[in-house]
Amino acid sequence: MILTFSILLILASVLLIVLVLMHKGRGGGLSDMFGGGVSSSLGGSSVAERNLDRITVGTAVVWAVCVVALGLLFKFN
C-alpha cells in the first residue's frame, strides 16, 4: 500500500510541475505553445486554460490525498 501511494505521489508531483509550467503567466507561458493563447474576445479565459486549471486542481487534490495517506500509513505502521 505504501509503495502504491509513493508511486502515485511521484507521478502526481511530476505532472503537477508540468501543469503549473503550462499555465499562462503575465507575459504568456508554455500554454501558448499548446493552443492556450487563443482566448475569447470577451476577455475571459479560454476553454483550454479553464481545462488546464481543472486538471491542475485535480492533480493537486490527488497529490494532497497521497501525502495524507502516506503520513497516516507511516504513523500507524
Side-chain angles (χ1 to χ4, degrees):
M1 194 67 146
I2 291 175
L3 181 65
T4 303
F5 279 116
S6 296
I7 291 172
L8 192 59
L9 180 66
I10 292 169
L11 291 174
S13 298
V14 171
L15 185 60
L16 201 56
I17 290 169
V18 171
L19 289 171
V20 166
L21 287 175
M22 286 177 60
H23 278 278
K24 182 186 252 185
R26 296 182 100 187
L30 291 177
S31 62
D32 289 337
M33 293 171 49
F34 300 106
V38 180
S39 60
S40 67
S41 61
L42 298 176
S45 60
S46 66
V47 174
E49 197 70 30
R50 283 194 307 262
N51 287 336
L52 186 61
D53 289 341
R54 290 180 187 136
I55 294 170
T56 304
V57 168
T59 305
V61 167
V62 169
W63 184 88
V65 167
C66 287
V67 169
V68 170
L70 281 172
L72 290 173
L73 284 172
F74 279 123
K75 181 177 180 179
F76 295 118
N77 201 0

